Amino acid sequence: ARTEPARGYPLVAHVTDSLELTNVTFDSTMLVSEVRFVGTSASIMLYTAGDLLMRVSQGAPIVSLRGLAVRGRIIVDGGRCDISACTFENITTAEDGGAIQVLDGELNVRESTFAHNHAGRHGGAVDVSSCDLARHLARHLARHLACHLARAAHRAAAPIAR
Protein backbone atom coordinates (compact mmCIF):
# COMPACT_ATOMS: atom_id res chain seq x y z
CA ALA A 1 0.00 0.00 0.00
CA ARG A 2 1.24 3.46 -0.91
CA THR A 3 1.31 6.05 1.88
CA GLU A 4 0.77 9.74 1.33
CA PRO A 5 3.38 12.21 2.65
CA ALA A 6 2.34 14.23 5.71
CA ARG A 7 1.56 17.35 3.67
CA GLY A 8 0.32 15.70 0.50
CA TYR A 9 1.90 15.45 -2.90
CA PRO A 10 3.90 18.09 -4.81
CA LEU A 11 2.03 20.54 -7.01
CA VAL A 12 4.01 20.89 -10.24
CA ALA A 13 3.02 23.37 -12.95
CA HIS A 14 4.85 22.98 -16.26
CA VAL A 15 4.38 26.41 -17.84
CA THR A 16 4.43 26.09 -21.63
CA ASP A 17 3.42 29.61 -22.71
CA SER A 18 2.80 31.98 -19.82
CA LEU A 19 1.03 31.99 -16.48
CA GLU A 20 -0.46 34.97 -14.66
CA LEU A 21 -0.52 34.99 -10.86
CA THR A 22 -1.58 37.99 -8.79
CA ASN A 23 -0.92 38.30 -5.07
CA VAL A 24 -0.85 34.55 -4.37
CA THR A 25 0.11 33.55 -0.83
CA PHE A 26 1.67 30.18 -0.11
CA ASP A 27 1.28 29.42 3.60
CA SER A 28 0.72 26.66 6.16
CA THR A 29 -2.87 26.04 5.03
CA MET A 30 -1.70 24.40 1.79
CA LEU A 31 -1.97 20.62 1.78
CA VAL A 32 0.85 20.01 -0.68
CA SER A 33 4.47 19.12 0.06
CA GLU A 34 6.02 21.43 -2.54
CA VAL A 35 4.97 23.92 -5.22
CA ARG A 36 7.04 23.96 -8.42
CA PHE A 37 6.69 26.21 -11.46
CA VAL A 38 8.83 24.86 -14.31
CA GLY A 39 9.45 26.40 -17.73
CA THR A 40 11.44 25.08 -20.66
CA SER A 41 13.37 28.31 -21.17
CA ALA A 42 13.71 31.75 -19.66
CA SER A 43 11.32 33.04 -22.33
CA ILE A 44 8.34 31.35 -20.62
CA MET A 45 6.70 34.07 -18.54
CA LEU A 46 5.38 33.95 -14.99
CA TYR A 47 3.80 37.36 -14.52
CA THR A 48 1.30 39.50 -12.64
CA ALA A 49 -1.00 42.32 -13.62
CA GLY A 50 -0.22 44.02 -10.30
CA ASP A 51 2.93 44.51 -8.26
CA LEU A 52 3.09 41.34 -6.13
CA LEU A 53 3.38 37.99 -7.87
CA MET A 54 3.60 35.78 -4.77
CA ARG A 55 4.35 35.64 -1.05
CA VAL A 56 6.00 32.60 0.54
CA SER A 57 5.02 32.67 4.22
CA GLN A 58 5.93 30.75 7.37
CA GLY A 59 4.88 27.11 7.19
CA ALA A 60 4.41 27.14 3.42
CA PRO A 61 5.61 24.27 1.28
CA ILE A 62 8.88 24.88 -0.58
CA VAL A 63 8.18 27.04 -3.63
CA SER A 64 10.50 26.43 -6.61
CA LEU A 65 10.84 28.40 -9.83
CA ARG A 66 12.97 27.04 -12.67
CA GLY A 67 13.56 28.24 -16.22
CA LEU A 68 11.15 31.17 -16.19
CA ALA A 69 11.04 34.85 -17.08
CA VAL A 70 9.59 36.31 -13.88
CA ARG A 71 7.74 39.62 -14.16
CA GLY A 72 6.52 40.37 -10.65
CA ARG A 73 7.79 40.69 -7.07
CA ILE A 74 8.28 37.75 -4.75
CA ILE A 75 8.22 38.21 -0.98
CA VAL A 76 9.79 35.50 1.17
CA ASP A 77 8.34 35.90 4.65
CA GLY A 78 9.26 32.85 6.69
CA GLY A 79 9.08 30.14 4.03
CA ARG A 80 11.60 28.77 1.53
CA CYS A 81 11.91 29.75 -2.12
CA ASP A 82 14.33 28.03 -4.53
CA ILE A 83 15.02 29.78 -7.84
CA SER A 84 17.19 28.51 -10.69
CA ALA A 85 17.77 29.53 -14.30
CA CYS A 86 15.26 32.38 -14.11
CA THR A 87 15.35 35.95 -15.41
CA PHE A 88 13.90 38.80 -13.32
CA GLU A 89 13.57 41.84 -15.55
CA ASN A 90 11.75 45.20 -15.59
CA ILE A 91 10.12 44.82 -12.17
CA THR A 92 9.38 48.06 -10.33
CA THR A 93 7.94 48.68 -6.87
CA ALA A 94 7.63 51.58 -4.45
CA GLU A 95 8.58 49.15 -1.65
CA ASP A 96 11.85 47.37 -0.78
CA GLY A 97 13.13 44.62 -3.08
CA GLY A 98 12.41 45.31 -6.73
CA ALA A 99 12.34 41.64 -7.74
CA ILE A 100 12.61 39.81 -4.41
CA GLN A 101 12.19 40.92 -0.81
CA VAL A 102 13.32 38.57 1.97
CA LEU A 103 11.74 39.48 5.29
CA ASP A 104 12.48 36.13 6.90
CA GLY A 105 12.96 32.55 5.75
CA GLU A 106 15.24 31.06 3.11
CA LEU A 107 16.01 32.13 -0.44
CA ASN A 108 18.25 30.09 -2.75
CA VAL A 109 19.04 31.57 -6.17
CA ARG A 110 21.22 29.83 -8.77
CA GLU A 111 22.14 30.68 -12.36
CA SER A 112 19.60 33.49 -12.61
CA THR A 113 19.68 37.00 -14.05
CA PHE A 114 18.40 40.26 -12.57
CA ALA A 115 18.18 43.23 -14.97
CA HIS A 116 16.47 46.64 -14.93
CA ASN A 117 14.64 46.12 -11.63
CA HIS A 118 13.89 49.10 -9.40
CA ALA A 119 12.76 49.62 -5.82
CA GLY A 120 11.47 52.83 -4.30
CA ARG A 121 13.57 52.28 -1.21
CA HIS A 122 16.19 49.49 -0.90
CA GLY A 123 17.38 46.62 -3.11
CA GLY A 124 16.57 47.11 -6.77
CA ALA A 125 17.03 43.40 -7.43
CA VAL A 126 16.93 41.75 -3.97
CA ASP A 127 16.40 43.24 -0.53
CA VAL A 128 17.25 41.15 2.52
CA SER A 129 15.62 42.87 5.48
CA SER A 130 15.73 40.75 8.60
CA CYS A 131 17.67 37.54 8.43
CA ASP A 132 20.94 36.18 9.70
CA LEU A 133 22.92 37.25 6.61
CA ALA A 134 25.82 38.66 8.62
CA ARG A 135 26.40 35.34 10.41
CA HIS A 136 26.13 33.44 7.12
CA LEU A 137 28.69 35.72 5.42
CA ALA A 138 31.03 35.62 8.42
CA ARG A 139 30.99 31.81 8.44
CA HIS A 140 31.78 31.57 4.70
CA LEU A 141 34.42 34.30 4.82
CA ALA A 142 36.11 32.62 7.79
CA ARG A 143 36.18 29.29 5.92
CA HIS A 144 37.58 30.98 2.79
CA LEU A 145 40.21 32.85 4.79
CA ALA A 146 41.22 29.67 6.68
CA CYS A 147 41.84 27.88 3.34
CA HIS A 148 44.06 30.72 2.10
CA LEU A 149 46.04 30.85 5.36
CA ALA A 150 46.55 27.08 5.32
CA ARG A 151 47.85 27.22 1.73
CA ALA A 152 50.16 30.15 2.57
CA ALA A 153 51.54 28.29 5.61
CA HIS A 154 52.09 25.16 3.51
CA ARG A 155 53.99 27.16 0.89
CA ALA A 156 56.10 28.91 3.57
CA ALA A 157 57.03 25.57 5.15
CA ALA A 158 58.00 23.99 1.83
CA PRO A 159 61.75 24.05 1.04
CA ILE A 160 62.84 26.57 -1.57
CA ALA A 161 64.07 24.87 -4.73
CA ARG A 162 67.25 26.37 -6.11
Side-chain angles (χ1 to χ4, degrees), residues 30-102:
M30 295 190 68
L31 299 176
V32 296
S33 60
E34 179 181 3
V35 178
R36 280 184 264 163
F37 295 97
V38 181
T40 55
S41 72
S43 63
I44 307 299
M45 285 185 58
L46 186 62
Y47 68 99
T48 181
D51 178 24
L52 183 61
L53 180 71
M54 69 178 71
R55 177 183 293 269
V56 183
S57 294
Q58 179 70 36
I62 297 169
V63 176
S64 301
L65 307 176
R66 182 168 43 106
L68 297 166
V70 181
R71 302 293 184 267
R73 287 180 69 227
I74 296 173
I75 296 176
V76 179
D77 189 12
R80 176 176 158 189
C81 187
D82 295 339
I83 298 169
S84 64
C86 289
T87 302
F88 292 80
E89 190 171 28
N90 297 322
I91 304 169
T92 300
T93 184
E95 304 297 321
D96 292 333
I100 301 173
Q101 182 180 22
V102 181

